[in-house]
Amino acid sequence: MTAPRDFAGYRGGEPDIRWPGDARLALSLVVNVEEGAELSIGMGDERNEAIYEAVEAVEGARDLCMESHFEYGTRAGWPRIRQSLRERGIRATLNANGRALEQSPWLAEEAVADGHEVASHGWRWERHVHMDEPTERRAIQRSVEAITKAAGVAPVGWHTRSATSVRTRGLLVEHGGFLYDSNAYNDDLPYLETVDGHEHVVLPYAFDTNDMRFFNRGGFIFGDDFARYCIDAFDRLYAEGERHPRMMSVGLHLRIIGRPARIGGLERFLDHALKHPGVWFARRDEIAHRWRAGLGLPEWQPRPTPAGFSPS
C-alpha cells in the first residue's frame, strides 16, 4: 500500500505563532559532526566511504586519504566554526553521529559549554532506508547512548543521513526521547505529525542553504557563493516573516565550511543576519518547544524508553 503524502501543507493557513521577541525569522544553524562515523575499513566497517570532494572508491583496504579528509573536520574545521559562533554569541545545533562523538568526546564537551544543542545524526554516517528493523533499533539506541555519554545530556532531536526508512519516525516516537526530527525537506515552517497518539514536531531541513554544495558540482566554489546564496534566502524569508512566521535552516559541516577559504562566507552571512532586528538565532530544540507552545500543546517531556526497545 502506498503511504499517504501531503502536497498541500499550510496553503496560506500558517498558525498565528510568533517567535520570542516577536521575531520575524527563526534562524537555525546546524553543524554536522560526522568525522569518525563515516564508513571506513579502518574503523572495522564493511567498506569505505567513497564521497568527498572527489568520488573514489577504495575497496578491500583502508583508504588513508579519505580518513585524512574527514580528520580535518575535527582538527582544523571545528575550531574555526566554534570561534566564529562564539565571537557572535550564536548558539547552534550540532547534528552529531554517535560514533563521531565516541571518537572526539571533547568536541561535545566544548559545544555544550558554549550553549549549543547536541542532536543525533544516527550512529554511523549512513542511510537507514534499507535497514531491517532490529538494525535500525540498535543504531538509534547506540547513538543515544554515545551522545549522552559524550555530551552529558541525551539528544532530543534526530536527523538521518538523507534517506530514512519508512519506520524511522515511528521508532523515534516509540523510543520516547525525541522531541523532534529533521527528516523532511518540504517546508519553511515546522509542523506536527501524530504518531501512535503522540504529537511529534518535524523541523524541515534544507539542502540548498547548505555547504554541501561546495562538493560534486554543487554550484559553490568561493566562500562568497555560500554567503550570497544564504543572504538571498534570508532576505526573502525575513520579508515574508513580517506577515507569517518563517524558519531558515543553514547546514554546515566541519570538514567543508571549516576550510580557510570558506569560513569567511559563513561569517559574512552571519554578520548580514545580525544587522537585522527581529531574527531569533535558535537551537532546533528551542524552535520545536516554541512551536508546541504556540499551538497550545503541553510542555514536552521525554518518556521512558520501553524495555527491549533495542535487541542486544
Side-chain angles (χ1 to χ4, degrees):
M1 179 179 178
T2 302
R5 297 173 62 186
D6 183 359
F7 290 97
Y10 289 114
R11 296 186 66 228
E14 298 94 337
D16 186 20
I17 296 173
R18 303 306 300 185
W19 303 123
D22 204 32
R24 295 185 180 191
L25 178 64
L27 182 50
S28 167
L29 301 179
V30 178
V31 182
N32 292 278
V33 182
E34 300 156 346
E35 291 72 10
E38 78 280 6
L39 298 181
S40 167
I41 288 177
M43 295 287 292
D45 297 323
E46 65 276 12
R47 59 182 174 85
N48 294 312
E49 180 56 54
I51 299 177
Y52 189 60
E53 303 216 21
V55 179
E56 181 178 0
V58 174
E59 300 176 356
R62 287 182 67 179
D63 186 346
L64 298 180
C65 180
M66 184 66 72
E67 291 178 12
S68 182
H69 281 308
F70 274 82
E71 290 162 7
Y72 184 92
T74 52
R75 292 166 62 109
W78 166 244
R80 288 195 183 100
I81 295 170
R82 185 188 186 200
Q83 180 180 355
S84 295
L85 298 178
R86 292 184 75 182
E87 288 176 347
R88 292 162 178 80
I90 293 172
R91 298 191 303 171
T93 291
L94 268 66
N95 208 29
N97 290 116
R99 195 171 78 176
L101 293 188
E102 191 174 70
Q103 302 301 310
S104 305
W106 47 267
L107 196 152
E109 295 168 4
E110 291 177 353
V112 170
D114 289 352
H116 302 306
E117 174 196 9
V118 183
S120 178
H121 200 22
W123 167 243
R124 300 191 305 185
W125 189 52
E126 61 184 342
R127 299 173 178 88
H128 281 213
V129 62
H130 294 305
M131 285 184 180
D132 59 41
E133 184 171 335
T135 300
E136 185 166 23
R137 287 177 177 275
R138 281 194 295 269
I140 293 171
Q141 190 61 30
R142 290 185 79 181
S143 74
V144 170
E145 291 172 355
I147 291 170
T148 303
K149 182 177 180 180
V153 61
V156 300
W158 177 279
H159 183 201
T160 310
R161 176 188 175 181
S162 297
T164 68
S165 81
V166 294
R167 70 180 70 86
T168 302
R169 186 165 291 151
L171 291 178
L172 298 177
V173 172
E174 179 187 342
H175 179 277
F178 290 96
L179 161 67
Y180 73 90
D181 74 66
S182 297
N183 294 335
Y185 307 84
N186 52 3
D187 214 314
D188 296 313
L189 282 177
Y191 58 89
L192 291 181
E193 289 279 349
T194 302
V195 182
D196 294 333
H198 298 282
E199 298 296 339
H200 180 76
V201 181
V202 179
L203 297 182
Y205 192 51
F207 274 3
D208 64 325
T209 48
N210 195 306
D211 66 3
M212 63 186 284
R213 295 186 59 205
F214 282 109
F215 284 7
N216 301 317
R217 298 188 291 274
F220 292 169
I221 298 175
F222 302 104
D224 201 47
D225 296 333
F226 176 86
R228 289 174 60 194
Y229 191 94
C230 289
I231 287 170
D232 283 349
F234 171 90
D235 287 349
R236 179 62 185 232
L237 291 169
Y238 183 80
E240 291 179 359
E242 185 176 10
R243 299 181 299 276
H244 302 290
R246 286 291 181 264
M247 179 181 77
M248 179 177 178
S249 297
V250 178
L252 309 169
H253 297 75
L254 305 186
R255 64 193 179 279
I256 303 180
I257 202 69
R259 290 280 176 176
R262 296 170 180 158
I263 191 70
L266 170 63
E267 293 171 340
R268 284 190 286 278
F269 164 65
L270 296 178
D271 291 342
H272 175 84
L274 285 166
K275 293 176 182 177
H276 291 71
V279 178
W280 181 36
F281 287 86
R283 301 165 20 149
R284 290 178 91 75
D285 59 340
E286 294 174 326
I287 296 173
H289 279 299
R290 182 72 178 192
W291 199 254
R292 284 180 57 93
L295 294 174
L297 295 174
E299 183 178 357
W300 178 85
Q301 296 291 337
R303 304 184 310 279
T305 301
F309 171 83
S310 173
S312 58

